[in-house]
Amino acid sequence: MRLALYTGLILAGGFTGLTPALPADPTGDWRVADAVANIRVAQCNGSMWGAVSWEKQPGGRDEYNPDPSKKTRPTLGMATLIDMKKKPGVDQWEGQVYNAKDGQLYSATITPVGTDQLEIKGCVMGFLCGGETWTRVAPPIPLSTANAMAKGAPKPTGAAPKAQGTTGGTTGASATAPAPAAAPKTTTTAKPGQKNAADPIGDICLLPEIAGFAH
């Protein structure tokens, strides 16, 4: 049995300048075996989770899900590796995998092979096991701030004071103070897993499906 996790979704271009990964680090973005989607793997509150971070054909839906309420949910950002715990004494994690091709959950393991491959195996009822190997396309991801239940920056508590106008002596019109010049924009390099315009998923630990389960 070949485990096909995602269908109908290719990486637009190769990834260059990969940061060398430590052995046995399953985090990062991985291209699935048939090159139709990327799965982002990150550690969320002690478990490894994976979610679809890129798809060739945008707008995919979870149409094979047996739950009618989920059949129209977007596949982008959908969890595929679920609550995978590290096995004692080995560089392997076990949990569940969601197969979008048939809408079913399977017992599964993920095992890093060197630094740039991830082997995934899934089984039905403990037998009829199949698997595939994913290829790394982005570097490992730092530990999510969500693991520490980090909160966002505090919001301002009040509005900024309004500029006081001056009354003209002959016309009675008020002149407002000139608006301050806009601060120059700075360019920064997005960290792995950081949400930005080119990466609508960002930290998968903050996705509602994962955050609600992991915390």
Side-chain angles (χ1 to χ4, degrees):
M1 179 189 75
R2 182 175 179 274
L3 183 65
L5 296 180
Y6 208 80
T7 59
L9 302 175
I10 191 161
L11 190 65
F15 187 91
T16 59
L18 290 178
T19 302
L22 293 174
D25 187 350
T27 69
D29 282 39
W30 302 88
R31 182 193 300 182
V32 299
D34 54 3
V36 295
N38 290 346
I39 306 298
R40 178 165 300 159
V41 180
Q43 181 176 332
C44 303
N45 202 36
S47 298
M48 289 295 171
W49 287 76
V52 179
S53 61
W54 175 89
E55 53 189 13
K56 181 183 179 181
Q57 299 177 354
R61 301 291 171 177
D62 189 19
E63 58 183 313
Y64 297 109
N65 197 304
D67 184 344
S69 68
K70 295 181 178 180
K71 287 182 179 294
T72 58
R73 69 171 177 171
T75 48
L76 186 65
M78 181 182 68
T80 54
L81 301 180
I82 300 170
D83 196 29
M84 308 202 79
K85 308 287 189 181
K86 192 175 187 303
K87 297 176 68 174
V90 294
D91 293 326
Q92 187 176 81
W93 286 256
E94 62 180 350
Q96 290 184 305
V97 60
Y98 176 69
N99 187 345
K101 187 176 181 179
D102 60 11
Q104 300 299 315
L105 287 170
Y106 298 94
S107 298
T109 61
I110 55 173
T111 309
V113 180
T115 59
D116 295 322
Q117 290 187 320
L118 187 67
E119 184 179 80
I120 177 167
K121 292 183 179 180
C123 300
V124 181
M125 301 297 290
F127 59 95
L128 294 177
C129 297
E132 62 184 42
T133 300
W134 297 350
T135 303
R136 182 182 292 281
V137 294
I141 297 174
L143 192 64
S144 170
T145 55
N147 293 311
M149 301 295 286
K151 304 296 183 182
K155 296 181 179 179
T157 56
K162 296 181 179 179
Q164 297 295 325
T166 58
T167 304
T170 58
T171 63
S174 61
T176 59
K185 294 182 179 181
T186 58
T187 57
T188 57
T189 302
K191 297 179 180 180
Q194 185 177 31
K195 190 173 183 178
N196 55 69
D199 177 11
I201 300 304
D203 185 350
I204 67 169
C205 298
L206 299 177
L207 295 172
E209 182 180 1
I210 296 176
F213 188 101
H215 292 142

